[in-house]
Amino acid sequence: MTPREAAIKRLQEDTCPLPAGEPFTVDFYRPEDGYGVARLVFSVYGDGYPIDTYYIPEQLSEENRAGRIRSVVARTGSGQVVCHEAFYRSSSPNPDMYEMGLGLTLPAYRGSLAFARCTNLLVSLIENGTIKAIYGEAVCNHTITQKMAGPVKFVETGLEVDLMPATAYTKEQASDGRVSCLLYFRIGQDQRRTLCLPDCYAEQLRFMMEGIGIDREHIQPASELLNDVSELEIEQFDGPGCCRCNINRPGKDLAQRLAALEQEICSRNHALLQCFVPLGTADAAASVAVLRSAGFFLGGFLPAWFGEDGLLMQKLYVEPGFDAIKLHSERAKAIMEMVRADWQRSKAL
């Protein structure tokens, strides 16, 4: 039995009632909160959440101790966890970039201020300079999380279409199909960097950059890829049926490398391939041209993703559920129309 299986078995056998109506306090994570967080995750996702760490208290405590995860919890007087949210190092190659997520609240506490208070304490880490940059992925099967973006100065910059499987939301019957996520960024400490905007997306990317508060030196695009060999960093998530590929250095073999990757993930029945393209060098436009010719479409702008900025390109192997996407802001709706239009272009290929 794997550590994940053992942890889930323990949670399945736990018959203690979940708290309801008890007063709570909000605080940074302590090791004794580990099992409470696991119980909270299990109550929301069942055994369907793809990351083992949040089911295994010892792992979560070690990640918090090392600073790779920064968790905040709302806990009752008896020590039970009723809400959790975290910054954590995720898919970005930039060690200063943390993802904000795992915002979960027990149903009995969703009318309280537990989630808002956890968010405010967590965001204090970027306001005091402890964390330099954060991004988040707000699910689009409801708009509750999206409504928290404005107060914490998050800016919408992209849309990940059909990122998560419906099975991740089966326990709460929250979705009938795959769930898209809206991308948000907040840059707390920035430095001037070079930026190459591909002509095909220049208008869309300028719109997505508005309000982030970054300073960039724009450079002219090169007509071809400059390196011979591509450097790719690949993460495959079999449960969600998603693969992520950071193109850390594009090369002249990029088309062949992507074709081989597509063949592999299609053999594993993945629904989505995401590619993250660096925009800090002159051959960014040439990289994007390779992806567009292979049927990829626009995802969004990623400030400081590689240290330098990045561009999300994505390719679906299922029919996208655009009509099921729920969005709160007019900016988010405008981004979705940009993404949808480029998906239609890619479909024509």
Side-chain angles (χ1 to χ4, degrees):
M1 185 179 294
T2 66
R4 176 190 176 100
E5 290 169 342
I8 289 174
K9 183 175 184 294
R10 179 187 177 189
L11 292 164
Q12 289 170 333
E13 294 173 350
D14 189 340
T15 59
C16 293
L18 293 168
E22 298 179 37
F24 61 86
T25 57
V26 171
D27 195 5
F28 289 106
Y29 178 90
R30 301 172 184 168
E32 55 266 31
D33 297 321
Y35 183 71
V37 173
R39 216 171 163 224
L40 172 60
V41 172
F42 184 75
S43 74
V44 174
Y45 287 111
D47 61 0
Y49 194 74
I51 309 300
D52 294 356
T53 300
Y54 297 95
Y55 290 112
I56 304 171
E58 297 79 13
Q59 285 190 15
L60 183 58
S61 294
E62 173 57 24
E63 292 297 294
N64 269 274
R65 185 201 64 77
R68 292 183 290 267
I69 296 177
R70 301 293 185 96
S71 292
V72 165
V73 301
R75 70 172 78 90
T76 67
S78 60
Q80 298 196 69
V81 175
V82 302
C83 185
H84 170 273
E85 195 167 17
F87 289 156
Y88 47 92
R89 292 205 178 110
S90 182
S91 296
S92 170
N94 179 3
D96 290 330
M97 176 70 71
Y98 282 73
E99 183 173 357
M100 183 178 188
L102 256 293
L104 305 175
T105 310
L106 287 178
Y109 287 84
R110 289 176 187 171
S112 72
L113 293 175
F115 183 66
R117 289 173 59 189
C118 284
T119 299
N120 289 338
L121 181 57
L122 194 59
V123 168
S124 70
L125 294 175
I126 195 167
E127 293 174 344
N128 67 23
T130 301
I131 302 292
K132 295 180 180 180
I134 54 175
Y135 78 99
E137 297 169 317
V139 293
C140 297
N141 57 328
H142 60 72
T143 61
I144 298 169
T145 311
Q146 297 174 40
K147 291 174 182 177
M148 298 295 296
V152 297
K153 302 178 183 178
F154 261 128
V155 178
E156 305 98 320
T157 69
L159 180 68
E160 300 174 285
V161 182
D162 287 1
L163 176 65
M164 293 292 290
T167 51
Y169 304 90
T170 300
K171 190 172 179 69
E172 295 200 336
Q173 299 179 335
S175 178
D176 294 327
R178 293 187 68 88
V179 174
S180 299
C181 289
L182 197 61
L183 273 170
Y184 292 86
F185 279 81
R186 179 175 172 182
I187 307 300
Q189 297 180 32
D190 187 43
Q191 63 186 56
R192 196 161 198 258
R193 308 174 191 274
T194 57
L195 176 64
C196 177
L197 291 181
D199 290 340
C200 57
Y201 294 134
E203 181 180 350
Q204 296 94 322
L205 293 178
R206 287 192 181 99
F207 177 85
M208 294 171 179
M209 291 170 64
E210 289 177 4
I212 300 174
I214 55 177
D215 181 26
R216 296 294 181 260
E217 176 188 350
H218 291 265
I219 58 175
Q220 291 297 312
S223 59
E224 61 181 18
L225 291 164
L226 303 177
N227 302 299
D228 290 328
V229 179
S230 301
E231 181 183 316
L232 309 181
E233 181 182 352
I234 298 167
E235 290 182 288
Q236 297 202 34
F237 303 94
D238 289 341
C242 172
C243 178
R244 284 179 162 173
C245 175
N246 282 308
I247 304 174
N248 293 333
R249 188 180 69 173
K252 295 174 182 177
D253 63 345
L254 182 59
Q256 292 82 1
R257 296 284 298 278
L258 289 176
L261 178 58
E262 282 198 68
Q263 185 176 11
E264 179 185 352
I265 67 171
C266 286
S267 71
R268 301 170 77 159
N269 295 317
H270 280 37
L272 173 66
L273 172 56
Q274 296 181 318
C275 285
F276 302 85
V277 183
L279 295 179
T281 56
D283 57 357
S287 302
V288 171
V290 170
L291 287 156
R292 281 167 59 91
S293 66
F296 285 77
F297 62 95
L298 177 66
F301 179 70
L302 313 170
W305 185 260
F306 296 90
E308 62 188 291
D309 303 323
L311 171 68
L312 170 62
M313 298 287 289
Q314 48 196 343
K315 186 170 183 178
L316 283 164
Y317 306 96
V318 296
E319 194 70 14
F322 282 108
D323 292 339
I325 294 174
K326 297 177 182 178
L327 299 172
H328 173 64
S329 73
E330 292 303 313
R331 177 184 171 95
K333 293 172 186 176
I335 289 173
M336 185 180 79
E337 290 310 312
M338 295 174 188
V339 171
R340 190 171 194 167
D342 202 49
W343 167 75
Q344 289 171 337
R345 173 206 57 82
S346 72
K347 189 177 180 183
L349 295 175

